[in-house]
């Protein structure tokens, strides 16, 4: 859209347009669109307008052809460029390249909250909830307009010269602006054009000029509330302050906008301003965004660097045929070791939430490097745990988001799969049948409280189940996972099951699981070791201040999500899983990745170590010493059981306390014992030896054709007598 403006301004003198009076085409609007009545512009003549429209179409088509050719030549697996230099032509077809244009200037930090509320000012505001502190790219409003957390900065209706101002705190080279309209389910407000001013002292201002006319440059803004629109400055400006001055806005709406500013740091020869905090990490890792090809290459490099502790495998394919790659990390990759718990991290369920993907790629690099260095913490983690890292559950959605780039992808583009499916609502709803059975008094004697089967409707050929979802379900069935976290973005909070409200019509309602104490502990561990979540001075990302509750929340008490992976993991498998919302910015600029890694590194490691909490052991046959698969481990007072893996080993996450634990299996006598979980690092051993029932022994003897021992025959006769 910004290229269209440059083309128009370059040709304006030849078609008789007044640069002080841009047409709808100049502003990036469709032909026939009207400007808001607040505009001070005059409309050009019909004849001039028609001529302008023809020239504009010709130049835009040529410009698109040039861009396509350049992209083909420069195609590489590197990160997307945040902003590209504009190339336009004058009537003589001579290229006009902006002077000192610097593509790739990073965002100043409105969306990521690196720019504080105090750095934002405005000429006026309709309310506090529509104040300048809300003029941040992708800010989301609450459910009710007019609250303290509305969806944009909006100037007062009577404000004839509205402006939004950002103080960079030091001199920077401003190179571009990205804008959106107001986020609201009730109102339609967005700015359609604006001017840009700069200042070093907030008193004296100069305006971005059009090169050919010397008049103030008018930049196109938005034609809908949510699509981010980038406008590059013809010439980057070194200043401390930048102002956006809305010129026109959606008819019948208000001058409302959300914005991000692109700015490169510059050296201050006078040393008047304190040096900005440098975002960085001491770890030597690949801090950039990786598309599918680059991700595969990086995973292969880690595997080649640490072949003895890594294995790459695929659990299936996306709708478009991209493989869902997993990096396994363990001292014995490729096999389940008896007594060694299995843990997993899953990222990229929503394709545009890119930070989790990069954190898992960074984590696998870090674990490899630190294991080679002999770091005792990492060595213990890899020798006592089998770790599985799935960095991209929705690779199709990510490729869409990656193509748009970190600042231009918006809040929703790339979230869904190529089929348009939200994977976080695509797992089977096992909550409803369980709760119905509980209400009827059927749990756990008739209906189990664990490992609930898939509903029949879910397995029908016409069921809307994504291939990515099926791949993960089959993966869950193959490996006896104990602990997991699902990495998301767009907030700073850890949510735990249940994610679905028990009351069908409730949009939000506290709905804890029988293991609420364990889930709250797991959530608190991650939140308590995440640097940003522990920052008491940080402001809320959007419309809820989760810091008031320790940055953890029951998922259903936030918003109900039927068919979530967290609930499915808990009810269909042994795995305890939480959702970690990693950052206010879903797709942070790659410059921010080192700091995001430092924010989450210790939390990622500490959470994995929680698989040691509670009890663990092996359930064996007393006579043969062999492990018993699918034995049920029940804890008195907790209406949720787990089962043993194929070798008879199990893990039961529990908080410290005294527990009565029962082990049972078909054909065996039930065994009960006391197991004490202390505050010492565990897990606490709690093994079981089960004895076959006489009936089971008889079945096995008869099946093998052996003679029934006299003692067993007498025992069976005694049991029959008691029954009669």
């Amino acid at each position: 859209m910004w290229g269209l403006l440059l083309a128009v301004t370059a040709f304006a003198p030849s078609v008789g347009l007044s640069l002080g009076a841009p047409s709808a085409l100049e502003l990036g609007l469709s032909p026939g669109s009207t400007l808001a009545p607040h505009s001070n512009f005059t409309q050009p003549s019909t004849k001039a307008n028609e001529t302008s429209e023809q020239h504009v179409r010709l130049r835009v088509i040529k410009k698109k052809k040039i861009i396509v050719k350049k992209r083909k030549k420069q195609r590489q697996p590197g990160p997307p460029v945040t902003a590209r230099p504009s190339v336009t032509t004058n009537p003589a077809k001579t290229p006009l390249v902006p002077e000192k244009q610097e593509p790739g200037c990073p965002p100043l930090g409105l969306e990521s909250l690196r720019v504080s509320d105090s750095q934002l000012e405005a000429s006026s505001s309709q309310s506090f909830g529509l104040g300048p502190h809300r003029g941040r790219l992708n800010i989301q409003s609450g459910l009710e307009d007019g609250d303290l957390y509305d969806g944009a900065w909006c100037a007062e209706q009577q404000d004839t010269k509205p402006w939004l101002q950002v103080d960079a705190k030091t001199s920077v080279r401003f190179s571009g602006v990205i804008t959106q309209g107001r986020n609201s389910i009730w109102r339609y407000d967005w700015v359609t054009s604006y001017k840009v001013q700069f200042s070093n002292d907030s008193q004296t201002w100069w305006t971005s000029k059009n090169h050919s006319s010397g008049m103030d440059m008018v930049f196109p803004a938005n034609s809908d509330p949510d699509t981010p629109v980038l406008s590059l400055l013809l010439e980057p400006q070194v200043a401390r302050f930048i102002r956006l001055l809305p010129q026109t806005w959606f008819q019948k709406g208000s001058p409302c906008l959300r914005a991000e500013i692109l700015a490169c740091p510059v050296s201050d020869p006078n040393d008047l301003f304190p040096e900005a905090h440098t975002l960085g990490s001491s770890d030597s890792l690949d801090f950039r965004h990786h598309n599918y090809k680059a991700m595969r290459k990086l995973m292969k490099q880690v595997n080649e660097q640490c072949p003895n502790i890594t294995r790459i495998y695929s659990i299936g394919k996306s709708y478009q045929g991209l493989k869902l790659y997993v990096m396994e990390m363990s001292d014995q990759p490729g096999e389940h070791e008896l007594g060694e718990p299995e843990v997993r991290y899953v990222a990229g369920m929503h394709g545009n939430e890119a930070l989790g993907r990069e954190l898992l790629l960074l984590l696998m690099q870090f674990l490899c490097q630190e294991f080679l260095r002999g770091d005792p913490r990492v060595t213990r983690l890899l020798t006592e745990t089998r770790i599985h890292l799935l960095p991209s559950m929705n690779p199709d959605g990510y490729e869409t988001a990656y193509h748009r780039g970190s600042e231009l992808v918006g809040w929703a583009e790339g979230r869904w799969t190529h089929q348009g499916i939200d994977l976080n609502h695509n797992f089977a709803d096992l909550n409803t049948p369980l709760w119905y059975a509980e209400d009827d008094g059927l749990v756990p004697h008739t209906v189990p409280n664990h490992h609930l089967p898939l509903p029949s409707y879910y397995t029908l050929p016409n069921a809307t189940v994504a291939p990515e979802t099926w791949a993960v379900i089959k993966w869950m069935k193959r490996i006896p996972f104990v602990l997991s976290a699902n990495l998301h973005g767009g907030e700073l909070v850890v949510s735990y099951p249940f994610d679905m409200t028990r009351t069908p019509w409730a949009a939000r309602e506290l709905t804890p699981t029988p293991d609420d104490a364990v889930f709250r502990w797991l959530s608190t561990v991650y939140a308590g070791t995440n640097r940003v979540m522990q920052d008491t001075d940080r402001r809320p990302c959007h419309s809820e201040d989760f810091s008031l509750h320790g940055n953890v929340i029951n998922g259903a008490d936030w918003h109900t999500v039927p068919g979530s992976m967290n609930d499915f993991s808990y009810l269909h498998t042994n795995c305890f899983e939480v959702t970690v919302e990693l950052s206010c910015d879903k797709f942070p600029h790659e410059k921010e990745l080192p700091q995001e890694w430092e924010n989450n590194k210790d939390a990622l490691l500490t959470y994995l170590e929680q698989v040691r909490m509670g009890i663990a052991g092996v359930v064996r046959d007393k006579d043969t010493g062999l492990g018993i698969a699918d034995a049920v481990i029940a804890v008195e007072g907790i209406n949720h059981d787990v089962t043993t893996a194929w070798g008879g080993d199990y893990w039961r996450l529990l908080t410290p306390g005294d527990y009565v634990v029962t082990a049972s299996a078909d054909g065996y006598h039930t065994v009960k014992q006391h197991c004490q979980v202390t505050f010492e690092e565990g897990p606490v051993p709690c093994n079981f030896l089960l004895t076959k029932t006489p009936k089971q022994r008889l079945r096995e003897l008869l099946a093998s054709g052996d003679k029934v021992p006299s003692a067993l025959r007498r025992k069976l006769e005694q049991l029959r007598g008691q029954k009669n």
Side-chain angles (χ1 to χ4, degrees), residues 45-161:
S45 67
T46 304
K47 183 176 181 180
N49 202 22
E50 291 174 355
T51 309
S52 172
E53 181 176 339
Q54 293 173 357
H55 280 292
V56 169
R57 287 179 177 172
L58 178 62
R59 298 308 173 187
V60 169
I61 292 172
K62 287 188 176 182
K63 178 175 171 54
K64 286 184 178 178
K65 288 182 179 179
I66 293 173
I67 290 177
V68 171
K69 289 180 181 179
K70 287 182 69 177
R71 284 180 178 171
K72 286 184 178 179
K73 291 179 181 179
Q74 297 179 351
R75 188 176 181 85
Q76 57 184 5
V81 179
T82 300
R84 295 179 175 82
S86 57
V87 178
T88 186
T89 55
N90 59 16
K93 299 184 180 180
T94 305
L96 294 175
V97 180
E99 297 178 13
K100 300 179 183 178
Q101 181 66 57
E102 291 191 17
C105 274
L108 194 60
L110 276 74
E111 182 179 9
S112 65
L113 303 185
R114 285 191 292 111
V115 172
S116 67
D117 289 352
S118 63
Q119 293 175 251
L120 300 170
E121 293 184 43
S123 57
S124 65
S125 301
Q126 292 183 12
S127 66
F128 178 79
L130 294 169
H133 64 292
R134 302 297 290 175
R136 301 172 180 272
L137 195 72
N138 286 319
I139 200 83
Q140 300 294 295
S141 67
L143 294 178
E144 301 173 1
D145 284 352
D147 62 11
L148 298 181
Y149 302 104
D150 221 315
W153 160 70
C154 292
E156 292 180 350
Q157 291 282 1
Q158 60 268 31
D159 190 346
T160 58
K161 296 182 179 180

Side-chain angles (χ1 to χ4, degrees), residues 662-683:
T662 301
S664 59
D666 289 340
Y668 289 88
H669 290 293
T670 298
V671 174
K672 182 182 295 185
Q673 63 174 294
H674 290 268
C675 301
Q676 184 182 37
V677 179
T678 67
F679 286 94
E680 300 297 324
E681 190 171 4

Side-chain angles (χ1 to χ4, degrees), residues 700-714:
E700 294 175 358
L701 288 171
L702 293 176
S704 64
D706 292 340
K707 184 178 180 181
V708 178
S710 57
L712 178 58
R713 189 183 300 109
R714 288 193 299 270

